[in-house]
Amino acid sequence: MAEGVEMSPEDQAAAEVADLWRAAPGQEVDSAVIWLHHQGESEAIQQMMFNDFTIPNAGRVRWLWPRAPLQPSSIRGHSLVLQWFDVKEYPICRTVRGVPDRPRKGEDPEDVQKAVARVEAAVKALEVEGVPRRRILLGGFGMGGALVLKTVLQSREPFAGGVVCSAWLPCAEDLAESLREGGITTEMLWCHGARDSVVEPVLAAQQAKMLKEAGVQIRFQLFPEAQFELSREPLLAVQAFIARCLKMEEKDEEEPPELPTDGEGGVRTEGS
């Protein structure tokens, strides 16, 4: 940030977090993974799943596990729950069956945008520290995966990758207005269970198809035996995807400097 330019509160917070990391010896990293948990859970369950996961040829990787704030939950009688944004109805589906059938109540766009701002604050802290966005991968499960989708799709610059597990695209009707270049060019993997009773698999597949038709680089992978979970098979697919996205390119060997010639094809040495 140039001198004399007033920083926004978000940029100031990011700079302060980065200063803390710089003050800690040996904490410099080459890339980072930010993983977001589901509603009503903490980051602990996801941490255990990736506890033994190492990423080869990725340099030094830092994992960040943000925790959602406690907020009143509509589906739990407005009691305080760890959640990124409020969900009006579960399951996440196209149509609520009844007499008559009706559309499901969607999320509040402003509430979702506040959640996106929280993730962007963590990303900015890494960027201020010196980790470029193209070396930062976002991943999440359930509501965390939904927030990953919204954050990546709205980014002006590409991330290293995006991982979406058992999730959905909230406020999907805003896609045309919110989609940015970084969201189009960031490669993403969407894993979903065919037996998922929390997020309707057909809805997830339709939303992934809509994103692909909009030019987004997303691959939808359906696992026949999986439910609303990150079981072994999708977990292995996620780990392989992360490893590929964060693999560092090998630097080309430096070419030897050209030696001066005598104009006749011979090498000119000192004194000649």
Side-chain angles (χ1 to χ4, degrees):
M1 185 75 66
E3 293 185 6
V5 178
E6 186 176 351
M7 299 177 67
S8 69
E10 293 80 7
D11 289 338
Q12 182 64 40
E16 291 173 0
V17 172
D19 286 340
L20 290 175
W21 280 113
R22 278 195 287 264
Q27 293 294 335
E28 298 82 2
V29 295
D30 301 296
S31 54
V33 177
I34 300 176
W35 194 274
L36 308 177
H37 62 81
H38 180 50
Q39 179 190 42
E41 301 175 353
S42 73
E43 68 284 359
I45 296 176
Q46 307 290 307
Q47 281 180 315
M48 288 189 293
M49 289 185 175
F50 290 97
N51 190 43
D52 298 326
F53 175 46
T54 58
I55 308 176
N57 304 317
R60 293 157 295 188
V61 181
R62 180 186 302 149
W63 286 72
L64 280 72
W65 307 89
R67 179 175 294 181
L70 280 170
Q71 302 182 71
S73 170
S74 294
I75 64 169
R76 301 191 183 185
H78 299 285
S79 60
L80 294 179
V81 172
L82 291 173
Q83 61 179 17
W84 300 106
F85 51 84
D86 193 37
V87 172
K88 309 297 183 185
E89 287 185 307
Y90 278 122
I92 310 298
C93 56
R94 297 164 297 169
T95 305
V96 177
R97 301 300 179 188
V99 182
D101 293 350
R102 62 170 176 82
R104 171 185 165 270
K105 296 177 183 177
E107 290 72 42
D108 180 357
E110 291 187 8
D111 195 23
V112 174
Q113 283 306 118
K114 288 179 182 178
V116 171
R118 286 182 177 274
V119 181
E120 277 291 341
V123 173
K124 282 187 177 181
L126 289 166
E127 289 180 316
V128 172
E129 183 185 344
V131 184
R133 190 165 295 228
R134 66 179 181 276
R135 296 294 304 164
I136 301 172
L137 183 139
L138 298 186
F141 174 79
M143 181 181 286
L147 184 51
V148 166
L149 271 177
K150 292 297 288 186
T151 305
V152 171
L153 293 174
Q154 294 178 190
S155 179
R156 297 187 181 278
E157 299 178 18
F159 284 92
V163 174
V164 180
C165 302
S166 300
W168 73 101
L169 177 61
C171 308
E173 63 277 5
D174 298 338
L175 178 64
E177 299 176 5
S178 60
L179 185 60
R180 298 290 182 268
E181 182 63 27
I184 293 174
T185 56
T186 297
E187 186 178 358
M188 288 193 280
L189 172 66
W190 188 333
C191 295
H192 212 92
R195 300 187 179 186
D196 192 330
S197 60
V198 178
V199 182
E200 187 180 63
V202 174
L203 171 67
Q206 288 179 342
Q207 289 187 335
K209 181 175 181 289
M210 176 185 68
L211 292 176
K212 198 161 188 177
E213 290 174 347
V216 178
Q217 305 300 305
I218 192 165
R219 177 163 59 93
F220 183 81
Q221 193 165 352
L222 190 67
F223 295 86
E225 301 302 320
Q227 302 179 43
F228 183 73
E229 59 184 342
L230 191 52
S231 55
R232 185 177 183 277
E233 191 176 359
L235 180 61
L236 290 175
V238 166
Q239 292 176 342
F241 179 80
I242 293 175
R244 181 167 61 80
C245 287
L246 294 183
K247 181 179 180 181
M248 300 182 70
E249 296 181 2
E250 297 182 4
K251 295 182 178 179
D252 296 332
E253 295 184 5
E254 295 185 2
E255 297 182 1
E258 293 185 6
L259 297 175
T261 64
D262 57 7
E264 298 180 358
V267 175
R268 178 165 53 83
T269 60
E270 291 294 328
S272 61

